[in-house]
């Protein structure tokens, strides 16, 4: 515990040193983006504040489509580029969304097999990994531009610290993919995609506060309040939320103001007291902090549909509206995203009890220890697996009738969520 | 301290008992609004969760225009209608915005005299007290409707607890007045007016958190986190912010979506990291929590212009845009609100050192004790008073050229801010 504390202090010092250096170097107080080339064979890079988590696959034979070099564009803190402390490097490895993607996993079920057969046809070929890496990079660049480091420095620093610290960027990517699926242009949906990530970052910052989950680490770095203090984190959180709506209102181009108003309304509703917050509060009361409370399947689904799926729903609906979808298309994408979001949680529950900590890349059995109500606990592992498969089928069904090429990212994303092994 | 703790516990118990009763009585879990008539001569009523703080004047001779009965519409907690504990009743009295309004104060300076002369002409007559009471009532009813008590109960309860607990409603009233000043309809601006109050409530809830000002009382009642817990308060805060934007987007009628988008953009910017939050962070770093730091006039103005004036600015600009103001009109109202907001703080600083606690209705000399940098500390009391007068003149000048009858509420509001005695 003492060692961990000392390590945290060192990391904070490094971070602050970097900021001082950056401010001294750049007159406009904005860190200069730079490009770094990583050598092949390096499995994971230190990428705090970088734009891309690059993860060449473990087995070189599997690297057929992946480029050996990844261009990493972002803001790289000098002080943070030193070798990582052991526990921190491990956490980064564990957090990678693609370190062992399910789509490449040897265990292929019937549905995956169909996908593989489709992939044999060049017209159907879709490289999910490359797509995701490309989109993560684009989103990170847009986020960097949407929230430049400006006066007052401290609050922007705190906001950027959490916003640009990596992450899967699932919500922004769903937003962009939904927009393109219905024929819209990616750039139209980008401000909303960034706003979704700002809201996600705010949510994580608040989740980590001592009065919430009291977590001092996030994505392998000290949590926001550990670096900036609780008071600044609370302010930075709601500043991110305000900036999210400002960004949609001020930066969305190429669509009618009517659509922008609708997107703001939908997004605000889905993250508010009838959406994400509803799930968070229900979770707090039903074991979110380790208390044992007997809740049923219905309540559990309520929590996950609100706490997790509502954000994905907001992403899909925002993208669809901005892309010019008709009412039916919007509702189908809404259903897709609710199924995908709920499935994410069901699979998470299954992995917690079926995988070792080593396989999982994080502490397994956490839900058991916390005596949390989960799907395996309520209906057993087999039924939970079947339920996840059902949700995946339902999600995929919503995409029938759309252009298969444009639907490929969302199909692959659902499959990735269903079959992930960690 | 122990007594205070016990009183707090009693009040929380009362509040929770009321909620249980209410939920048991109403199938839809929404407390039924009801009308209560207060007898004349009662100076202040217990009005937790009520819509109106009714404060007939102390001297019956002064009650010429005021009705003897006030209709109070709102949700009245049964358990809270018992006589108040002494310290709490005092706080309620102290907080009243009109218990001794400056417009009726015997000390009349030159400017006030001019206003009085104008009032002698029936065409110029404007009853500020009646206007404010009427608007507070309308705003409270709109707030009650904008955030009904619905599932999930707990988070809505927490949001409503702070939102409907009284307050001056300055921002919503500025918003409505600005809209009407430029020829708009009040109903068009009402959703934005409510949103501004939601944001204000969120800001106060977060300000009271232990990691911020650590205040366990607000408007004479236990602070939000004392009743609901810190974690729920953090969530309720950002739920209020989300609901604010949802409400503007979904409920604004009678204007083009383009104007709604502009209002959302302006409002989000002015409460975000370049607006209110910027001021709050600067204040935290410059003595907001009692630390002595030598800052100059420029920094002090920066804090107040952002922390306080930016909310008033957002209110005036939102109202003006929705009312159909032209660019020049918007900018004049922006300047008016910035002057009025800054003046509020200058006067606050002066009162802190010139009035006794008894006169002030709250602890005087707090800034001195906290060693806070204030206007009297930096430039002296006389210069501070002259500066307040200058700001009032500048604010009033912005209203020249508008229809004097429609400008009357904003003229009177600036005068009230300038000449208030507590």
């Amino acid at each position: 515990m003492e060692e961990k504390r000392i390590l945290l202090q060192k990391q904070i010092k490094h971070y602050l040193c970097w900021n001082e250096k950056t401010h001294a170097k750049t007159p406009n107080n904005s860190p200069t983006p730079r490009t770094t080339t990583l050598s092949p064979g390096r499995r994971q890079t230190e990428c705090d504040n970088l734009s891309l988590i690059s993860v060449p696959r473990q087995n070189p034979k599997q690297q057929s489509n992946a480029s050996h070099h990844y261009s990493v564009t972002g803001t790289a803190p000098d002080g943070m580029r030193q070798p990582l402390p052991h526990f921190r490097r491990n956490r980064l490895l564990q957090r990678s969304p693609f370190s062992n993607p399910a789509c490449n996993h040897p265990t292929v079920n019937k549905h995956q097999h169909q996908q593989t057969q489709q992939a044999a046809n060049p017209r159907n070929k879709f490289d999910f990994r490359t797509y995701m890496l490309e989109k993560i990079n684009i989103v990170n660049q847009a986020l960097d531009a949407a929230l430049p480091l400006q006066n007052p420095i401290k609050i922007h620093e705190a906001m950027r610290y959490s916003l640009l610290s990596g992450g899967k960027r699932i919500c922004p990517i769903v937003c962009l993919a939904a927009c393109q699926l219905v024929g819209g242009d990616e750039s139209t949906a980008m401000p909303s995609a960034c706003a979704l990530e700002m809201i996600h970052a705010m949510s994580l910052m608040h989740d980590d506060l001592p009065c919430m989950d009291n977590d001092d680490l996030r994505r392998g770095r000290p949590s926001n309040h550990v670096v900036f203090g609780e008071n600044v984190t609370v302010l930075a959180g709601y500043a991110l939320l305000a900036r999210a709506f400002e960004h949609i209102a001020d930066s969305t181009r190429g669509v009618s103001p009517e659509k922008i108003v609708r997107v703001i309304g939908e997004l605000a509703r889905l993250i508010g007291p009838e959406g994400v917050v509803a799930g968070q509060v229900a979770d707090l009361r039903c074991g979110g902090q380790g208390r044992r409370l007997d809740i049923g399947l219905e309540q559990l689904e309520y929590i996950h549909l609100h706490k997790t799926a509502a954000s994905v729903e907001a992403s899909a609906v925002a993208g669809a509206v901005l892309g010019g979808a008709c009412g039916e298309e919007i509702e189908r994408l809404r259903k897709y995203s609710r199924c995908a979001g709920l499935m994410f949680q069901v699979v998470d529950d299954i992995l917690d009890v079926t995988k070792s900590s080593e396989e999982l890349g994080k502490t397994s059995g956490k839900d058991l220890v916390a005596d949390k109500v989960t799907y395996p606990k309520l209906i057993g592992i087999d039924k939970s697996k079947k339920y996840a498969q059902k949700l995946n089928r339902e999600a995929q069904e919503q995409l029938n009738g759309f252009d298969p090429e444009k639907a490929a990212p969302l199909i692959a994303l659902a499959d990735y969520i269903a079959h992930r092994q960690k």
Side-chain angles (χ1 to χ4, degrees), chain A:
Chain A
M1 198 64 197
E2 182 58 19
E3 273 179 27
K4 196 177 168 190
R5 198 182 58 76
I6 295 167
L7 278 170
L8 274 175
Q9 283 177 339
K10 279 186 186 169
Q11 288 170 42
I12 294 168
K13 204 175 162 192
H14 273 151
Y15 179 80
L16 296 176
C17 285
W18 162 69
N19 271 291
E20 275 172 21
K21 280 183 206 167
T22 312
H23 301 158
K25 281 176 201 165
T26 51
N28 62 353
N29 285 331
S30 174
T32 318
R34 57 175 171 177
T35 302
T36 314
T37 304
L38 301 177
S39 58
R42 189 173 168 192
R43 189 166 173 269
Q44 174 78 38
T45 179
E46 153 61 286
C47 55
D48 299 82
N49 255 15
L50 291 186
S51 306
L52 177 63
I53 299 175
S54 78
V55 193
R57 295 166 195 165
Q58 270 182 289
N59 181 354
K61 287 178 187 172
Q62 292 179 331
Q63 295 186 7
S64 53
N65 294 323
S67 161
H68 286 301
H69 291 77
Y70 294 93
S71 174
V72 183
T73 308
T75 54
D78 291 340
M80 299 296 267
R81 301 195 62 79
Q82 296 170 1
L84 285 169
H86 184 66
F87 81 92
R88 192 168 157 221
R89 196 161 58 235
N90 270 2
R91 276 186 72 108
L92 275 174
L93 294 173
Q94 291 157 12
R95 298 273 179 154
S96 157
F98 307 114
S99 54
N100 188 7
C103 45
N104 297 317
H105 199 270
T107 311
V108 180
N109 69 9
K110 190 182 165 192
H111 191 77
Q112 260 186 313
H113 184 66
Q114 286 172 349
Q115 295 285 320
T116 314
Q117 291 300 306
Q118 284 173 7
N121 179 349
R123 285 189 308 172
N124 292 329
K125 199 172 178 180
F126 178 73
D127 186 341
F128 182 58
R129 166 191 295 271
T130 304
Y131 174 84
M132 287 296 278
L133 290 175
E134 184 199 320
K135 295 299 170 194
I136 287 174
N137 201 12
I138 291 171
V139 167
N140 284 338
Q141 287 179 46
L143 286 172
D144 190 28
L147 191 69
L149 189 61
Q150 62 190 27
N151 275 320
I153 294 297
K154 188 164 187 179
I155 192 74
H156 284 91
E157 217 171 60
M159 293 161 77
R160 284 173 58 90
Y161 179 82
S162 290
L163 185 66
L164 305 177
S165 64
K168 300 179 185 72
R169 312 301 192 203
I170 294 286
C171 283
I173 292 171
V174 167
C175 180
L176 300 179
C179 179
Q180 290 187 304
L181 173 64
V182 296
D185 193 82
E186 188 176 87
S187 63
T188 310
M190 190 56 89
S192 293
C194 289
L196 285 154
E197 194 61 28
M198 289 178 196
I199 293 165
H200 181 58
M202 174 277 295
S203 183
L204 299 182
M205 284 157 69
H206 283 179
D207 272 355
D208 291 339
L209 283 171
C211 68
M212 305 288 280
D213 291 349
N214 193 19
D215 207 332
D216 56 6
L217 274 178
R218 169 70 64 180
R219 291 174 181 159
R221 299 201 301 172
S223 301
N224 197 288
H225 65 273
V226 176
V227 181
F228 297 96
E230 281 179 59
N231 45 18
V232 172
T233 299
V234 169
L235 293 174
Y238 93 72
L240 270 171
L241 192 49
R243 172 53 70 97
F245 288 107
E246 182 193 351
H247 194 54
I248 299 178
D250 287 357
S251 305
T252 306
R253 299 282 180 273
V255 283
S256 67
E258 206 171 348
K259 282 182 182 156
I260 300 174
V261 172
R262 174 157 184 200
V263 165
I264 290 170
E266 282 269 6
L267 206 158
R269 185 179 62 78
L270 285 164
I271 62 158
E274 292 165 55
V276 174
V277 177
Q280 286 174 308
V281 172
D283 192 33
L284 279 177
R285 302 186 74 183
C286 297
Q289 288 189 322
R291 284 170 295 143
R292 177 173 193 151
L293 282 172
D294 288 324
I295 59 165
L297 206 57
E298 202 180 334
Q299 288 104 315
L300 187 64
E301 195 144 307
Y302 177 92
I303 291 171
H304 293 325
L305 272 178
H306 289 77
K307 196 180 167 191
T308 307
S311 299
V312 193
E313 185 183 340
S315 312
V317 171
V321 168
L322 293 167
C326 66
E328 194 206 325
E329 288 171 331
I330 291 170
E331 291 317 306
R332 289 173 72 180
L333 279 164
R334 191 189 295 280
K335 193 166 179 191
Y336 163 87
S337 55
R338 285 170 68 84
C339 289
L342 185 55
M343 177 168 62
F344 186 92
Q345 283 297 338
V346 178
V347 173
D348 221 46
D349 285 359
I350 296 168
L351 293 176
D352 188 72
V353 287
T354 57
K355 298 284 175 184
S356 67
S357 295
E358 203 171 15
E359 286 173 304
L360 210 52
K362 62 180 181 182
T363 316
S364 69
K366 271 204 307 183
D367 297 342
L368 283 173
V369 172
D371 204 7
K372 245 180 131 174
V373 177
T374 62
Y375 281 93
K377 190 174 177 180
L378 286 182
I379 56 174
I381 291 177
D382 284 348
K383 279 192 179 173
S384 299
K385 284 182 177 173
K386 281 179 187 162
Y387 187 46
Q389 286 166 18
K390 181 173 168 276
L391 287 169
N392 192 18
R393 275 197 306 278
E394 277 180 23
Q396 308 270 356
E397 276 167 19
Q398 306 309 315
L399 302 173
N400 290 341
F402 286 105
D403 176 348
E405 203 174 317
K406 287 182 176 169
L410 292 178
I411 291 171
L413 184 67
D415 271 332
Y416 163 68
I417 292 170
H419 306 300
R420 67 202 176 96
Q421 300 298 312
K422 58 166 66 178

